[in-house]
Amino acid sequence: MPFFTSHLKFPVNYTLNPVRPANMGFSLPCLSQSLSFILFLFHFHSTISSPLSSNYSSSSSSHLCAHRQSLSLLQFKQSFSIQSSPFWFARNYQYDQYPKTESWKEGTDCCLWDGVTCDLKTGHVSGLDLSCSMLYGTLHPNNSLFSLHHLQKLDLSLNDFNTSHISSRFGQFSSLTHLNLSGSDLAGQVPSEISHLSKMVSLDLSRNDYVSVEPISFDKLSFDKLVRNLTKLRELDLSWVNMSLVVPDSLMNLSSSLSSLKLDDCGLQGKFPSSMGKFKHLQYLGLGWNNLTGPIPYGFEQLSELVSLHLSGNFYLSLEPISFDKIVQNLTKLRYLALGYLNMSVVAPNSLTNLSSSLSSLSLWGCGLQGKFPGNIFLLPNLESLYLSYNEGLTGSFPSSNLSNVLYGLGLSNTRISVYLENDLISNIKSLEYMYLSNSSIIRSDLSLLGNLTHLLSLDLSSNNLNGQIPSSLGNLVHLCYLNLDSNKFMGQVPDFLGSPVNLSELDLSNNQLVTLSILD
């Protein structure tokens, strides 16, 4: 099975398990204000934005933009069409898109065009931000883009370049400090010429394998050249790029000044790098959904600047009590921690007591945790998401009050943590959007109260022996898109609101004693 065959790598009840980009350190360039979620994702991304200096006024009598630069941009515009509907990648992940190149008109100053930044002294185009611009077509090596030799920042992310290969001519942008080609349907081997960009500070080639016949890939030689030459690199995102031929220890050749390293779902395989402690400036680290093995090494606790750590999905990676205790005690700035499916069977849940009070997201599903989960974690004031599902030996009681008022995600499926679905709890989780309580310890439930959780997008109450009628109050959940009530003892007719839902795209009522309406047949 190729490494890139699936990115929805949660168990069935976590198909819709959300992770907000802000919590993971992601800052994609045109993220909408509406709710969005991505799977581990654990995706961290650098925005490229260089506004035109306010010293330049649109009332200037002469054009600042050099004529040849203007001509190259117009030729670039003509080489692509504008998609009539939003690019599926950006649409599915809720990005705002609009055709920036429509403002590019012959005879006008290109330095005033949308997405274009100029050097005020020379008139040369120094920055181009065309993220989410609805561009469609092939990015050929002879494209006029490559005549803009003075570019320092280039963002072409979230367009549809129709499985174009990354041209070796990108290596000719000798002044380039920021390059973002994320999520633009690119394919093929990363050219070694990328390593010529010795001034590069931020490089993002992530999320390009979804529809490509030939995913973007690195071999060992090209990656070694990249890390050896890009000594100024501070941010690197190669998530979903095929790095199955790269030895994990090669990462140790990256600059020790890195602040962000994101290599999620890259097919990395082998022993976890032993000297990660050298990256003392690292704030964001994502190595999730690879095939890394062995224990997480000592020295990890030296990464005291870490804000986000994502290691989920490395099934043969383990945590020992001593190293985990040191990580928890020393990483005082940690806001996002995802260790799903790591082997933590010998780690005492009580070790989590020392987690930073600023923690906003904790994902520890399927880790083999056993024993009582520390109650103080439930009460962290900034907690936004908590996923503990598939730890069958985990006990404790979910509190009914003093909860974070920003909690939007809760997953306690297949745990023995008691949950009292009563008025006190419901009134304290009004902001909840994702609730996964499959095969959980629900006690003294009043399901009609769930209708008060009007922000819910996803609800799983399967396998809980719940009985009676499906409460009509669930009809208040007008934003709900996923509902699973499978394997309970519900009786009577299926409520009308489930027959013609507004937003409900996934519904499971199987293994109950319900009367099926013809509209659902």
Side-chain angles (χ1 to χ4, degrees):
M1 179 181 293
F3 84 100
F4 55 88
T5 52
S6 174
H7 297 293
L8 296 177
K9 297 187 176 176
F10 300 101
V12 63
N13 294 315
Y14 274 83
T15 303
L16 297 175
N17 184 7
V19 179
R20 291 183 173 180
N23 298 331
M24 296 180 59
F26 288 87
S27 57
L28 292 164
C30 44
L31 186 64
S32 73
Q33 296 301 313
S34 60
L35 168 71
S36 64
F37 56 86
I38 343 176
L39 305 174
F40 262 1
L41 65 220
F42 293 56
H43 318 358
F44 323 136
H45 184 83
S46 298
T47 302
I48 295 176
S49 177
S50 303
L52 188 66
S53 169
S54 59
N55 292 331
Y56 180 70
S57 169
S58 59
S59 62
S60 298
S61 58
S62 61
H63 289 181
L64 175 65
C65 182
H67 175 69
R68 289 184 179 180
Q69 304 275 287
S70 179
L71 183 61
S72 293
L73 289 172
L74 289 172
Q75 289 174 344
F76 173 84
K77 172 185 177 179
Q78 293 166 5
S79 65
F80 297 99
S81 60
I82 299 298
Q83 290 184 311
S84 56
S85 60
F87 181 32
W88 73 270
F89 191 109
R91 181 182 66 247
N92 287 358
Y93 291 94
Q94 300 187 19
Y95 298 99
D96 292 327
Q97 299 181 92
Y98 70 98
K100 296 180 182 179
T101 56
E102 284 193 349
S103 69
W104 298 10
K105 306 292 184 183
E106 187 172 0
T108 62
D109 192 344
C110 79
C111 295
L112 299 177
W113 293 350
D114 203 351
V116 179
T117 302
C118 292
D119 184 304
L120 299 184
K121 294 181 180 179
T122 65
H124 293 141
V125 175
S126 60
L128 197 57
D129 180 357
L130 294 177
S131 59
C132 295
S133 293
M134 304 176 69
L135 299 176
Y136 175 79
T138 301
L139 184 56
H140 293 289
N142 64 351
N143 193 283
S144 61
L145 170 73
F146 298 109
S147 66
L148 301 174
H149 300 298
H150 302 278
L151 277 177
Q152 298 174 26
K153 297 185 178 183
L154 175 61
D155 188 346
L156 299 177
S157 63
L158 294 167
N159 291 287
D160 187 354
F161 293 127
N162 195 26
T163 67
S164 303
H165 283 215
I166 299 178
S167 172
S168 60
R169 295 192 67 187
F170 277 102
Q172 299 176 11
F173 292 125
S174 58
S175 299
L176 208 60
T177 60
H178 294 70
L179 176 61
N180 188 346
L181 303 177
S182 172
S184 289
D185 193 13
L186 295 166
Q189 183 79 15
V190 177
S192 60
E193 286 80 4
I194 293 291
S195 65
H196 297 169
L197 305 177
S198 58
K199 296 181 180 179
M200 186 70 69
V201 173
S202 178
L203 175 62
D204 190 343
L205 305 179
S206 64
R207 305 172 187 86
N208 272 303
D209 75 4
Y210 241 102
V211 294
S212 299
V213 176
E214 180 185 2
I216 286 186
S217 62
F218 269 108
D219 58 26
K220 184 180 185 303
L221 180 61
S222 59
F223 184 75
D224 286 348
K225 287 182 66 176
L226 179 80
V227 299
R228 185 171 62 248
N229 293 347
L230 303 190
T231 57
K232 296 184 179 180
L233 203 61
R234 300 294 178 267
E235 301 171 350
L236 178 63
D237 192 346
L238 301 177
S239 300
W240 301 0
V241 173
N242 184 350
M243 295 176 60
S244 58
L245 299 178
V246 175
V247 178
D249 270 344
S250 298
L251 302 178
M252 295 302 98
N253 295 320
L254 285 162
S255 167
S256 60
S257 299
L258 271 181
S259 63
S260 179
L261 177 61
K262 305 162 192 176
L263 304 175
D264 296 303
D265 209 348
C266 289
L268 284 169
Q269 50 192 331
K271 190 175 180 181
F272 195 92
S274 58
S275 303
M276 292 297 294
K278 68 170 280 189
F279 300 114
K280 291 181 171 52
H281 302 284
L282 208 57
Q283 295 180 325
Y284 304 100
L285 176 60
L287 294 171
W289 302 109
N290 287 295
N291 295 303
L292 298 171
T293 63
I296 291 180
Y298 295 113
F300 222 78
E301 68 273 9
Q302 297 177 34
L303 306 180
S304 58
E305 297 298 312
L306 270 185
V307 173
S308 177
L309 175 60
H310 176 210
L311 300 177
S312 293
N314 288 285
F315 292 88
Y316 300 102
L317 197 60
S318 61
L319 266 170
E320 297 177 358
I322 295 177
S323 59
F324 184 68
D325 287 349
K326 287 185 176 180
I327 289 174
V328 169
Q329 291 170 12
N330 292 348
L331 304 190
T332 57
K333 298 181 181 181
L334 208 58
R335 295 191 65 246
Y336 176 88
L337 178 62
L339 303 176
Y341 295 130
L342 268 66
N343 182 357
M344 297 176 61
S345 58
V346 295
V347 173
N350 198 51
S351 302
L352 296 162
T353 302
N354 294 319
L355 277 169
S356 167
S357 61
S358 63
L359 196 74
S360 64
S361 179
L362 179 62
S363 299
L364 299 175
W365 61 83
C367 291
L369 289 169
Q370 301 186 48
K372 187 176 181 180
F373 192 79
N376 69 310
I377 303 299
F378 295 128
L379 304 177
L380 290 174
N382 300 302
L383 194 64
E384 296 182 357
S385 62
L386 176 65
Y387 297 108
L388 304 174
S389 295
Y390 301 96
N391 289 289
E392 289 81 0
L394 207 55
T395 64
S397 180
F398 192 75
S400 297
S401 59
N402 298 319
L403 295 162
S404 164
N405 60 11
V406 292
L407 185 69
Y408 76 85
L410 176 65
L412 301 177
S413 297
N414 290 81
T415 69
R416 302 279 68 86
I417 296 175
S418 302
V419 181
Y420 295 81
L421 288 180
E422 297 181 321
N423 189 62
D424 286 348
L425 174 60
I426 299 300
S427 62
N428 275 275
I429 54 174
K430 290 291 185 66
S431 59
L432 209 62
E433 297 169 0
Y434 304 90
M435 177 187 279
Y436 301 99
L437 298 179
S438 174
N439 189 28
S440 57
S441 298
I442 297 178
I443 301 174
R444 295 204 301 270
S445 60
D446 183 353
L447 297 184
S448 65
L449 294 173
L450 293 175
N452 295 323
L453 302 180
T454 54
H455 293 286
L456 274 180
L457 299 172
S458 187
L459 175 61
D460 188 348
L461 297 174
S462 60
S463 303
N464 278 301
N465 288 317
L466 300 171
N467 53 40
Q469 292 188 325
I470 296 175
S472 59
S473 63
L474 295 187
N476 298 333
L477 308 181
V478 295
H479 302 294
L480 200 66
C481 60
Y482 172 78
L483 176 62
N484 189 349
L485 301 178
D486 172 38
S487 298
N488 284 294
K489 296 179 180 179
F490 289 115
M491 304 173 64
Q493 283 194 340
V494 177
D496 291 343
F497 71 87
L498 292 179
S500 54
V502 177
N503 292 307
L504 201 61
S505 58
E506 195 167 344
L507 173 65
D508 191 344
L509 301 177
S510 57
N511 299 305
N512 284 285
Q513 301 171 37
L514 296 165
V515 177
T516 305
L517 299 176
S518 58
I519 194 170
L520 291 177
D521 290 340

